[in-house]
Amino acid sequence: MLKNEADLKRFLTNLNKEDIHFTKHFYEKQEFDRKYLSEELLIKSLKNINNFLGFQDQSKDVAEKYRIGIKLSEKYNLVIICEVRNKSLYIITSWMTNRKWQKAIQK
């Protein structure tokens, strides 16, 4: 289990491209309402730890699930829900958020 941000960054840095997998749910969401997402975008974003905003541990029972926030631009952030299994990363789903919209909700 990844305990802190440094552990997660180390895990992502050492992760090979072949160890990143995408679930059926990711492809279903991409096909219908998230056409802007691609495997390349997510892999590139995960490997660029300089734009890392933070993470939340969403683990339940045995599954190691995490919500990762990544800065894409001044206007957009990327949210990735993923699971760590046997030293591999499984992308469950992902979406972009508008930072202006996020700030409006927080008020």
Side-chain angles (χ1 to χ4, degrees):
M1 178 168 252
L2 305 170
K3 304 240 185 268
N4 55 36
E5 191 172 312
D7 287 347
L8 182 60
K9 285 181 178 181
R10 195 174 315 110
F11 175 76
L12 293 174
T13 303
N14 296 329
L15 193 63
N16 295 323
K17 187 176 179 180
E18 299 81 36
D19 295 329
I20 299 175
H21 308 283
F22 294 85
T23 64
K24 181 180 174 185
H25 179 74
F26 171 81
Y27 292 115
E28 289 171 354
K29 295 303 270 182
Q30 179 189 30
E31 181 180 338
F32 292 109
D33 64 344
R34 299 179 188 159
K35 296 184 189 304
Y36 54 85
L37 292 177
S38 67
E39 291 180 11
E40 295 82 28
L41 172 68
L42 268 63
I43 291 170
K44 186 177 101 177
S45 299
L46 285 168
K47 292 304 238 171
N48 185 1
I49 60 171
N50 295 330
N51 293 334
F52 190 81
L53 294 173
F55 82 105
Q56 293 176 340
D57 184 0
Q58 297 184 335
S59 300
K60 291 183 180 177
D61 300 325
V62 181
E64 283 186 56
K65 288 187 181 177
Y66 301 96
R67 179 181 176 151
I68 300 172
I70 299 170
K71 181 178 178 180
L72 284 181
S73 67
E74 291 300 319
K75 190 173 180 182
Y76 293 103
N77 289 338
L78 180 66
V79 177
I80 301 173
I81 306 295
C82 57
E83 185 175 348
V84 176
R85 285 188 243 151
N86 301 328
K87 298 186 180 183
S88 292
L89 186 72
Y90 290 82
I91 307 294
I92 298 169
T93 192
S94 183
W95 63 91
M96 283 197 298
T97 62
N98 186 315
R99 296 180 72 203
K100 184 177 178 182
W101 179 79
Q102 282 180 306
K103 289 179 183 177
I105 285 182
Q106 290 173 351
K107 290 181 180 180

